[in-house]
Amino acid sequence: MKIFWFAYDDSKDLDSLSKEIDRLNIDGVLLPWVIGIGDPFIRLARSINESHRFKYMVAVRPYLVSPQYLAMTCNAIDQIQPDRLMLNFVAGDIKDHELNYGGVIGNINAKTSLDDRKQYLAKFLESFQDIYENRPQIKKPKICVSGTSDKIIEISNKYSDYNLCDSRPFEEGFVGTHAKQIVCVNPMIRDDKDDYDKMLKDTGPEI
């Protein structure tokens, strides 16, 4: 079993967090795409070093970055420290501070249906995959796609290495036999049930 620290609202310097992860012998850290704590790639590039071996999994909102720029960034990180970066693609929610912005390769906004967002994700991952197929000298990072809908499972099977979901689908009878490999994320420890419910609500709709 692999354990990742979900740095959901952790604004502390990654150097300090890295020491804590090493102390707890955790396999990696999941960095969200949140304006308030800064660009996750810049943050990890400042902190990544040979003394740590855990993975950095960066959540990517595909409508906020181009496939080309993402591939360049991943390649730069891999040159600093090979095989330390993973990507987690999330397509189902749009944050309040993003409502006035369109997508990079299409119009994605708060009124865009979930089906259109999923289709957008599929096109993004197809473009991202094409980059690596045309440039075999660079290594593509391991990819997770979040969600449990049939469409997301289909996209995950085609373009990613893992399907990522929380523990609720398993509690409700979803065993994931139709997905490649499952990364099950158990909810973080919260102060009480209200805090836990708020955390789930803030993550956006199920995709």
Side-chain angles (χ1 to χ4, degrees):
M1 180 177 67
K2 302 293 185 182
I3 299 175
F4 278 66
W5 179 297
F6 186 15
Y8 179 67
D9 56 359
D10 202 327
S11 59
K12 71 170 65 174
D13 185 84
L14 274 184
D15 288 335
S16 300
L17 184 57
S18 297
K19 294 175 182 177
E20 189 70 7
I21 291 172
D22 271 349
R23 184 183 71 81
L24 296 172
N25 199 28
I26 294 175
D27 297 285
V29 57
L30 172 57
L31 300 175
W33 194 287
V34 179
I35 286 179
I37 63 174
D39 186 312
F41 293 109
I42 293 176
R43 294 183 69 208
L44 75 87
R46 290 181 55 202
S47 299
I48 195 168
N49 62 68
E50 293 181 354
S51 65
H52 307 297
R53 297 312 307 165
F54 60 82
K55 302 285 188 180
Y56 292 89
M57 184 188 295
V58 176
V60 176
R61 318 281 285 288
Y63 48 85
L64 295 180
V65 64
S66 72
Q68 294 81 3
Y69 186 78
L70 182 60
M72 285 194 302
T73 303
C74 292
N75 188 35
I77 297 295
D78 197 62
Q79 290 178 34
I80 298 172
Q81 278 286 294
D83 300 320
R84 298 285 301 282
L85 178 65
M86 300 176 68
L87 300 177
N88 172 36
F89 285 90
V90 183
D93 62 331
I94 294 180
K95 302 298 184 183
D96 290 342
H97 61 263
E98 298 163 357
L99 297 182
N100 295 324
Y101 297 89
V104 174
I105 55 172
N107 289 324
I108 297 294
N109 54 53
K111 297 181 180 179
T112 306
S113 70
L114 278 175
D115 286 341
D116 285 344
R117 293 179 201 172
K118 294 170 190 176
Q119 189 59 37
Y120 183 94
L121 172 63
K123 291 180 179 178
F124 185 100
L125 289 173
E126 181 180 14
S127 297
F128 191 66
Q129 181 169 288
D130 285 345
I131 293 171
Y132 288 91
E133 289 179 351
N134 291 320
R135 293 173 175 80
Q137 70 275 19
I138 62 176
K139 186 174 182 179
K140 186 173 73 171
K142 296 291 185 181
I143 292 175
C144 300
V145 172
S146 290
T148 58
S149 69
D150 289 341
K151 182 61 177 178
I152 287 296
I153 296 297
E154 176 187 332
I155 293 171
S156 180
N157 283 340
K158 187 172 183 180
Y159 296 112
S160 77
D161 301 287
Y162 308 98
N163 171 245
L164 189 147
C165 63
D166 65 33
S167 60
R168 286 173 296 172
F170 290 89
E171 295 166 359
E172 296 163 4
F174 173 79
V175 295
T177 55
H178 56 313
K180 268 186 199 181
Q181 297 187 68
I182 302 293
V183 177
C184 183
V185 181
N186 285 313
M188 300 172 291
I189 296 174
R190 313 305 288 180
D191 291 335
D192 51 41
K193 186 178 184 303
D194 289 341
D195 192 27
Y196 168 63
D197 290 340
K198 181 180 182 300
M199 181 271 292
L200 293 181
K201 182 179 178 181
D202 288 344
T203 61
E206 182 180 358
I207 58 172

